[in-house]
Amino acid sequence: MSGLLYLSPTPTFWRIVKRRSTEEFESLPYICKLLNAYFWIYYGIIEPNSLLVATVNMFGAIVEIIFLIIFLLLAPSRMKARTAILVAILDVGFPAAAVLLTQFLLHGEMRIAVAGLLCVIFSMIAYASPLSAMKTVVTTKSVEYMPFLLSFIFFLNGGVWTAYALLAKDLFVGIPNGTGFFLGTAQLILYAMYWKPKPSRQVLDNLEDQQQYEPLNPAAGSGIRSLEEATVATNGK
């Protein structure tokens, strides 16, 4: 589920690459997911028997870095500058300082506990980051810039990990993933409220054909038909 969550924005970035524009998409969700991946990598390295936690988040970090590079290359200048500043602060400066301080100032179980707490905090931030996309949906009354696949995977991932947390009675896993499950549900509700079916290609072609052959001025069309009728009548005589 975590791997699918990291890969779920792929259709969005394929669209960005094809159109050579980030349009109204926000970079904040991907910045927060990269930050979250960093802390889970660190936690997986220092926590015994947590190699899978580290490896899946290493994969996720690589994916998010690729997404952010695409975003920085194709975003408008203002969005590009804003994204670059956020990446420098949230994905470079802050995690480096936090990991170094935790590594050299804390030891043993305390180090693991603090790393786990950081993971919980930034998992919640990563789950909450699509709030900006939800705001865009409500403002524009369109789900065009809130991809369904990403919302659905958020919902599934939060639900699976919440179920695990309830069975294992693990509060640290339950809090961020319960939040993610709630926000994923809210996104799906918004999608149901504002989704509008796109007209099929055949319908669009028919409309274009109708516009092409239909006279711009109905009165002119009537005049043409009258002239044709008069010509026929004259020839008949």
Side-chain angles (χ1 to χ4, degrees), residues 31-107:
I31 292 170
C32 292
K33 284 167 68 179
L34 179 57
L35 177 62
N36 185 47
Y38 283 158
F39 283 110
W40 281 112
I41 291 169
Y42 179 58
Y43 178 83
I45 291 172
I46 64 174
E47 170 71 12
N49 303 316
S50 295
L51 181 62
L52 288 177
V53 173
T55 52
V56 72
N57 284 284
M58 285 178 186
F59 167 75
I62 293 170
V63 170
E64 296 302 329
I65 288 169
I66 292 171
F67 287 162
L68 285 171
I69 289 172
I70 293 172
F71 205 96
L72 286 168
L73 289 174
L74 299 178
S77 56
R78 187 173 179 180
M79 176 65 76
K80 187 179 296 186
R82 176 186 162 198
T83 300
I85 292 170
L86 288 174
V87 167
I89 295 172
L90 295 178
D91 289 336
V92 179
F94 177 73
V99 168
L100 288 172
L101 289 172
T102 304
Q103 185 67 25
F104 292 108
L105 296 181
L106 302 174
H107 304 279

Side-chain angles (χ1 to χ4, degrees), residues 4-20:
L4 287 175
L5 183 62
Y6 283 123
L7 286 172
S8 58
T10 301
T12 298
F13 279 87
W14 179 243
R15 168 178 169 169
I16 288 172
V17 170
K18 285 199 300 183
R19 298 191 178 186
R20 310 296 296 173

Side-chain angles (χ1 to χ4, degrees), residues 39-40 42-44 46-47 99 102 106 109-122:
F39 283 110
W40 281 112
Y42 179 58
Y43 178 83
I46 64 174
E47 170 71 12
V99 168
T102 304
L106 302 174
E109 291 298 321
M110 180 59 71
R111 177 191 295 163
I112 294 172
V114 170
L117 182 61
L118 289 170
C119 289
V120 168
I121 292 170
F122 292 105

Side-chain angles (χ1 to χ4, degrees), residues 188-227:
L188 292 179
I189 291 171
L190 282 178
Y191 210 95
M193 290 173 61
Y194 293 110
W195 178 79
K196 296 176 183 177
K198 294 182 179 180
S200 67
R201 185 66 202 170
Q202 183 177 359
V203 172
L204 292 175
D205 290 342
N206 290 340
L207 287 173
E208 288 175 0
D209 291 341
Q210 184 179 357
Q211 290 172 356
Q212 182 176 356
Y213 294 109
E214 194 174 70
L216 295 178
N217 187 342
S222 301
I224 292 170
R225 284 193 296 272
S226 299
L227 181 60

